Amino acid sequence: MAKSAEIGNVYAIKTKIGYGLFQVVQNDEVGIDVVRVLKPTIEDVGQFSPELLQETERYFIKFTVRAALNKKLIIFIGKYTVPSSVKVPKKYRMLDVVPHRNIRNWYIVDAKTNRMKLVSRIDKKFLSLSCDAVWNDTFLIERIEEGWTLEDWK
């Protein structure tokens, strides 16, 4: 069993519709990992096939893999090479909502510098940008069960 979140490690998380899969593609020094959430879900972890890694991911998220492992919230599948076609995002998007004032501000965030640029709305060119937030296991499970996509997030 993996005790760390090494690049290439693949994990499964149980949902109501089967197991969601994700692969670690980047680590940082504070324990927040960038993972690519894979499109298919599988009924049983024994159904995992490395060919699934060749498919385009649903999205990238920031996730605390080590914490989830320590709490036994995820299952280690194995260590596989990250496909060369996979590119860790250079930019993300973030939504800041102030409900009592009916304000929705979108920001484009540079992954390297963490600089944010305010944009008035999310155009088509920004729809493919993943979320600049750390997700927990519950949120990830809900999103997988809903079939949520980046295009849904407007």
Side-chain angles (χ1 to χ4, degrees), residues 1 11-13 22 63 65 68-69 71-76:
M1 172 161 183
Y11 299 92
I13 189 164
F22 60 90
F63 189 73
V65 173
L69 271 171
K71 293 180 180 180
K72 297 183 169 84
L73 301 171
I74 58 177
I75 301 165
F76 176 67

Side-chain angles (χ1 to χ4, degrees), residues 95-109:
L95 176 61
D96 181 30
V97 178
V98 183
H100 67 280
R101 294 184 61 203
N102 200 25
I103 296 173
R104 291 171 53 93
N105 291 320
W106 285 99
Y107 295 91
I108 304 304
V109 182

Side-chain angles (χ1 to χ4, degrees), residues 32-112:
I32 298 170
D33 308 292
V34 176
V35 302
R36 57 188 288 250
V37 178
L38 304 175
K39 285 185 181 173
T41 55
I42 54 177
E43 288 184 31
D44 183 78
V45 292
Q47 291 179 316
F48 175 78
S49 168
E51 286 79 36
L52 296 173
L53 298 174
Q54 300 306 317
E55 293 188 29
T56 304
E57 58 280 332
R58 293 176 193 241
Y59 38 79
F60 293 86
I61 62 167
K62 295 176 182 180
F63 189 73
T64 53
V65 173
R66 280 167 237 130
L69 271 171
N70 289 340
K71 293 180 180 180
K72 297 183 169 84
L73 301 171
I74 58 177
I75 301 165
F76 176 67
I77 300 291
K79 183 175 175 95
Y80 299 89
T81 302
V82 176
S84 59
S85 60
V86 173
K87 305 295 180 220
V88 177
K90 293 182 181 184
K91 294 188 179 196
Y92 292 89
R93 61 178 154 144
M94 183 175 79
L95 176 61
D96 181 30
V97 178
V98 183
H100 67 280
R101 294 184 61 203
N102 200 25
I103 296 173
R104 291 171 53 93
N105 291 320
W106 285 99
Y107 295 91
I108 304 304
V109 182
D110 183 295
K112 191 173 186 176

